[in-house]
């Protein structure tokens, strides 16, 4: 039996999946295990693997095979698979190797120097490198735009959130901007008279870890197919068959590590639950960054900060960290919903977080589309921080526009995923609640199955079978609708 | 400037080194970190990498380049480098892919079934698979012999110990056989009246680990370029830039984990000290299995079981495991030199270990050279165990000829490395003692520099620059001489 072109394409992408397995492991190990002197050799090995994968994807024979497969009589499932294969293939083939290489070099240089420049609040030093990053990112965006018919910024956005347009983002974020500042103000007024009992540390790392493992078990993490470790920047890595999540511990604060673990467990269950038959192919992988974040935020925001869930885990917290008034369910709920506009996105609460994202979206879009220059970023940053959150960042680059790593190596277009994820999650839970009106009672009783079953049926098992819009419509009966997000926030923060 | 053929060969082998980095990490992770459900995907990824490396090594263009490099005007260092490159290249190119594949399949099947067959003492079940392993290994040996001019068994031996001949092994092992049984008997007579105080457990894993880390630090392990973890079968893995050693802990016995760590640290320091300029090339890597084992056994046997060293670490043992009479220096020395002929090689003491190895050498050599058949192994095993160690293994396959994994996947020719390593180590230390007559006082005083400096100058820094015989001659002034091993054992066990 001779192989069809489609089968040959599948064989190639299966091979790439196995290469990626090694790269993913190497990345996890680098962050969680590797001693410092291993870094150069690791970097060289990972770069060599990158070249290998790029060469495999840009092999002219593969282009022929894909063309051949498109002409074959494929089932609907195979057509969806080929659609996702083409997306990955085009991503590797649309850009000239020289541009990819230049952007990687300039980006990793800028990123490396940024670490100290941020510490030194050195905007001018950063700017010298950053201008080059912007220049090359614009070049990339324009080349992609020419091929895809999207706007330059949209072309970058589509690397992370395929199918998303600026018109759609403007509609959604515009809606959020119309009510978020008022909601933040009202919530702060309401919380002004609230008594919150602070937890008294220190909290030994081993005890926090044991608590984290118990919470992961409660959330259905499969420990035969994954691990929990420590890294500087928490992430979910590994491969679907072996998912590695990380956290970081501070002895004076248990809140971040615990909720960070809830967040990463959301990512992990998505990966662990992807259908195994197609796991080696793009159609069998996670849908997008926004959908991935919708899983971690379903766990962290919809479930994790829900008072019913905090009541459920309050005994676990007491068991591992000792009994103290701060760990009473009602107080945990207050601790985890405290609203406080501040400088840093990654430390932001649920309510102010979208403002940080929208600000970045507006700036990076203008930057890529050429409406502003790199030099204009700090003034615009300050203006928007004042407007959205009432925070003054003048001259404070370190905790202002220098705080994130994303732009330093040209990952423009990523930020919207965070808030899209939060909004998808709110929409899922509105749907789940319709089917399960007593959801909070279920959660408090420790029955999380309604949530896991719904996510599994509607998101996890669907992988990349559908375009994002179709996935959300099939799951919730409507396109992304910011009303659910607003209603969720109003109920949690004003009710 | 155009590249010379030699430079192009170096570039290819550097690429292979980077691929191997990923394979080595994947293997370490599989043994030390990976949860069970990750195994299939890991196996597939590692096999894919194996195919990639094999394809790279058997690319006809590489054969042309190597031929071209041989015709170029190379420095002595480059000639040595090319010699080692050719060795690795030939190893990949001498055998038809069909044979390699068949042997891998049959070997991994036999190896897999062996795990339960050994438990069940099922020699007949094992034999059915093992006959095939022997048949394919003979085929491999004969093909290699035709190309190399060596005997069939020698061809396999040379995969692990390049340059070693059966005539040389017969000379060396024949010498050992002439005095070892008498020496074992005398040592046992001497120890019969000795009082040894047993240590009282349990010993918490965390405390054993802390002791192990202290011992590694004392032995000069570079923790910025390596780690200590846990695996079922202790090993030294990773890459020279990032060496990963493992051990396993038993709460009722600290001796094995502690001395196992000393052993693996010997392997580790060799790897960590290989010259960095040539680390990506075969000439810059460890010389052979026998030389590698000579480093671990320099640490474990020459240094580790030396009463002066045990006196040095006795305070560390007490510090971590608590003060008890068993941990006095003189008693530790007795514990670690107790002679007791028994079934299992990996549990054997220093004195009886060579008998286990020589027995295996004689059987595997006869098997590969066609003098005996797979069916004959148990009877021969029992006969030799009776003769060399006075141990009766009749009907006890589990603790007899089924105890080792090596033969199950056709790794014939490996066993001699263990005892060659022990003998090289004894010869090194005879040389060091000549230069440093007060070595034991130095060791007891915590000054291990004379040992590390000598090993670094004579072995570690030399990597694979010289053929093994030349390496040993340059280091010690003479070829491998079993008299040093005998003298070492007589002084330790009879003096
Ligand atoms: Zn996330
Ligand atoms: Zn060893």
């Amino acid at each position: 039996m001779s192989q069809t072109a489609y089968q040959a394409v599948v064989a190639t992408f299966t091979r790439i999946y196995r290469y990626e397995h090694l790269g993913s492991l190497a990345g996890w190990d680098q962050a969680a295990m590797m001693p410092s002197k291993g870094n150069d050799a690791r970097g060289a090995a990972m770069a060599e693997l990158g070249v290998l994968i790029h060469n495999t994807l840009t092999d002219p024979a593969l282009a022929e095979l894909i063309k051949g497969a498109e002409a074959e009589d494929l089932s609907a499932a195979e057509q969806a698979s080929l659609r996702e294969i083409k997306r990955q293939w085009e991503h590797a083939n649309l850009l000239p190797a020289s541009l990819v290489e230049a952007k990687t070099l300039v980006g990793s240089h800028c990123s490396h120097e940024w670490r100290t420049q941020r510490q030194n609040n050195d905007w001018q030093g950063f700017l010298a490198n950053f201008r080059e990053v912007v220049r090359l990112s614009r070049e990339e965006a324009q080349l992609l735009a020419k091929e895809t018919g999207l706007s330059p910024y949209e072309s970058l956005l589509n690397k992370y959130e395929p199918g998303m347009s600026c018109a759609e983002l403007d509609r959604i974020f515009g809606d959020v901007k119309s009510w978020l500042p008022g909601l933040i103000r009202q919530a702060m007024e309401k919380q002004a008279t609230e008594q919150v009992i602070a937890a008294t540390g220190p909290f030994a790392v081993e005890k926090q870890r044991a608590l984290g493992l118990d919470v992961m078990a409660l959330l259905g993490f499969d420990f035969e197919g994954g691990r929990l470790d420590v890294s500087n920047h928490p992430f979910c890595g590994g491969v679907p068959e072996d998912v590695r999540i990380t956290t970081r511990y501070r002895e004076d604060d248990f809140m971040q590590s615990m909720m960070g673990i809830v967040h990463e467990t959301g990512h992990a269950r998505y990966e662990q639950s992807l259908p195994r038959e197609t796991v080696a192919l793009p159609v069998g992988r996670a849908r997008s960054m926004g959908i991935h974040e919708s899983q971690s935020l379903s766990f962290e925001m919809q479930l994790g900060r829900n008072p019913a869930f905090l009541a459920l885990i309050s005994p676990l917290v007491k068991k591992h960290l000792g009994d103290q008034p701060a760990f009473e369910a009602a107080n945990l709920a207050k601790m985890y919903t405290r609203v406080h506009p501040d400088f840093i996105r990654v430390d932001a609460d649920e309510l102010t977080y979208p403002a940080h994202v929208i600000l970045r979206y507006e700036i990076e879009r203008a930057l890529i589309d050429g409406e502003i220059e790199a030099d204009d970023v700090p003034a615009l940053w300050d203006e928007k921080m004042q407007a959205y959150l009432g925070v003054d960042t003048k001259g404070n680059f370190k905790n202002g526009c220098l705080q994130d790593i994303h732009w330093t190596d040209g990952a423009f277009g990523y930020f919207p995923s965070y808030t899209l994820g939060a909004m998808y999650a709110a929409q899922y839970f509105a749907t789940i609640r319709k089917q399960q009106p007593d959801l909070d009672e279920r959660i408090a009783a420790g029955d999380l199955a309604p949530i896991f079953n719904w996510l599994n049926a509607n998101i996890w098992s669907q992988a990349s079978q559908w375009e994002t819009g179709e996935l959300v419509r099939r799951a919730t009966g409507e396109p992304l609708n910011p009303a659910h997000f607003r209603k969720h926030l109003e109920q949690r923060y004003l009710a």
Side-chain angles (χ1 to χ4, degrees), chain A:
Chain A
M1 287 256 320
S2 88
Q3 210 179 26
T4 67
Y6 176 74
Q7 286 166 337
V9 170
V10 164
T12 301
F13 276 80
T14 301
R15 183 152 52 89
I16 291 171
Y17 180 65
R18 290 172 182 162
Y19 295 153
E20 286 170 342
H21 175 118
L22 299 169
S24 184
L25 174 66
W28 167 83
D29 184 88
Q30 189 173 39
M33 295 285 153
M34 192 188 72
S36 59
K37 287 186 184 169
N39 200 49
D40 289 352
R42 180 62 51 83
M46 290 173 75
E48 195 69 64
L49 189 74
V51 169
L52 174 71
I53 292 172
H54 186 79
N55 288 347
T56 309
L57 282 167
T58 56
D59 183 346
L62 180 61
E64 281 307 306
L65 284 174
I66 289 178
K67 208 188 283 176
E70 284 183 295
E72 285 172 352
D73 187 25
L74 301 180
S75 70
E78 289 168 337
Q79 285 174 32
S81 174
L82 190 61
R83 180 194 71 218
E84 296 304 315
I85 281 172
K86 274 194 72 180
R87 197 194 306 284
Q88 190 179 336
W89 176 79
E90 277 170 355
H91 181 62
N93 282 274
L94 281 181
L95 298 173
S98 59
L99 175 61
V100 173
E101 198 184 345
K103 198 186 163 203
T104 303
L105 277 175
V106 167
S108 77
H109 176 68
C110 180
S111 206
H112 182 79
E113 298 222 316
W114 162 77
R115 284 169 209 278
T116 42
Q117 286 159 345
R118 186 193 171 200
Q119 289 311 311
N120 301 332
N121 200 41
D122 178 12
W123 168 253
Q124 286 303 325
F126 177 75
L127 189 57
N129 297 326
F130 185 54
R131 284 197 195 103
E132 270 301 285
V133 174
V134 171
R135 188 181 66 76
L136 291 165
S137 298
R138 284 175 175 172
E139 203 178 308
E140 176 190 359
Q142 280 154 11
L143 276 171
L144 292 175
K146 213 163 62 182
E147 297 284 343
T148 58
L150 303 170
S151 80
Y153 178 75
E154 275 174 341
S155 305
L156 300 187
L157 177 66
N158 268 256
K159 286 163 58 174
Y160 309 105
E161 204 55 32
M164 182 56 66
S165 69
C166 283
E168 176 78 349
L169 271 191
D170 285 344
R171 174 180 76 80
I172 296 162
F173 287 172
D175 183 274
V176 173
K177 278 173 73 174
S178 73
W179 47 258
L180 187 65
L183 180 50
I184 292 172
R185 199 169 44 246
Q186 285 175 278
M188 288 176 67
E189 279 163 18
K190 177 164 179 289
Q191 292 183 353
T193 57
E194 234 176 45
Q195 297 298 318
V196 186
I197 306 164
T200 309
F203 311 101
V205 166
E206 268 319 301
K207 291 178 179 172
Q208 290 190 59
R209 178 176 152 83
L211 169 61
L213 291 171
D214 268 4
V215 171
M216 287 167 74
L218 185 70
L219 292 172
F221 185 91
D222 179 359
F223 287 96
E224 288 180 12
R227 297 176 49 97
L228 168 68
D229 294 281
V230 173
S231 73
N232 247 330
H233 300 277
F235 68 103
C236 172
V239 292
E241 302 92 336
D242 176 4
V243 176
R244 311 274 174 107
I245 72 170
T246 69
T247 189
R248 78 186 137 191
Y249 301 102
R250 284 175 48 172
E251 293 236 319
D252 63 344
D253 175 29
F254 76 97
M255 286 181 66
Q256 281 202 13
S257 80
M258 189 178 83
M259 201 52 83
I261 285 173
V262 172
H263 179 101
E264 301 304 338
T265 302
H267 285 303
R269 288 219 58 192
Y270 188 12
E271 292 286 320
Q272 289 187 327
S273 309
L274 290 168
R276 282 298 179 273
E277 315 81 60
T278 50
V279 75
L281 299 178
V283 75
R285 308 302 296 278
R287 176 62 221 164
S288 71
M289 290 300 139
I291 296 298
H292 228 310
E293 206 62 16
S294 79
Q295 299 313 300
S296 54
L297 296 176
S298 284
F299 275 55
E300 179 189 345
M301 297 301 180
Q302 295 298 321
L303 177 60
R305 291 171 200 257
N306 183 322
F309 180 77
L310 290 163
L312 176 64
I313 65 167
S314 159
L316 289 179
V317 179
K318 292 180 191 167
K319 173 182 149 199
H320 290 288
L321 306 184
D323 200 347
Q324 53 173 281
F327 299 156
E328 294 306 321
N331 193 67
L332 282 176
K334 285 182 196 163
M335 291 167 77
Y336 274 115
T337 53
R338 197 76 191 160
V339 178
H340 179 62
D342 214 333
F343 293 99
I344 305 296
R345 174 184 59 86
V346 295
D347 297 336
D349 58 82
E350 182 181 19
L351 206 49
T352 59
Y353 200 106
H356 291 274
V357 168
I358 292 170
L359 167 154
R360 284 158 177 77
Y361 160 64
E362 292 172 343
I363 295 177
E364 68 178 14
R365 177 180 166 181
L367 201 52
I368 293 301
D369 287 350
E371 293 159 18
I372 62 167
E373 293 304 321
D375 303 61
D376 304 327
V377 169
L380 211 52
W381 188 283
D382 186 59
E383 183 192 316
K384 288 178 188 286
M385 279 299 282
Q386 294 276 13
Y388 303 163
L389 292 173
V391 171
D392 180 355
T393 64
K394 260 189 222 64
N396 189 347
F397 309 107
K398 178 179 173 177
N399 295 324
C401 61
L402 284 185
Q403 70 182 267
D404 296 305
I405 196 172
H406 303 57
W407 289 347
T408 69
D409 66 350
F412 297 102
Y414 188 98
F415 281 121
S417 310
Y418 295 115
T419 291
L420 289 173
M423 299 171 86
Y424 289 134
Q427 189 160 329
Y428 304 154
F429 272 71
T431 309
I432 297 171
R433 280 181 198 283
K434 246 184 263 162
Q435 295 170 9
Q436 193 76 52
D438 63 340
L439 186 67
D440 288 334
E441 291 77 49
R442 290 284 194 111
I443 292 171
D447 177 12
L448 307 180
I451 296 168
F452 300 151
N453 290 343
W454 190 93
L455 290 174
N456 187 50
N458 290 281
I459 309 294
W460 304 342
S461 66
Q462 302 305 298
S464 284
Q465 193 179 355
W466 317 106
E467 297 277 5
T468 312
E470 176 69 4
L471 176 76
V472 172
R473 203 193 52 71
R474 294 174 73 100
T476 67
E478 60 176 334
L480 181 54
N481 177 358
H484 299 294
F485 188 47
R486 179 180 189 175
K487 190 171 160 209
H488 155 71
L489 293 175
E490 286 177 347
Q491 288 196 329
R492 178 166 290 171
Y493 292 92
L494 299 187

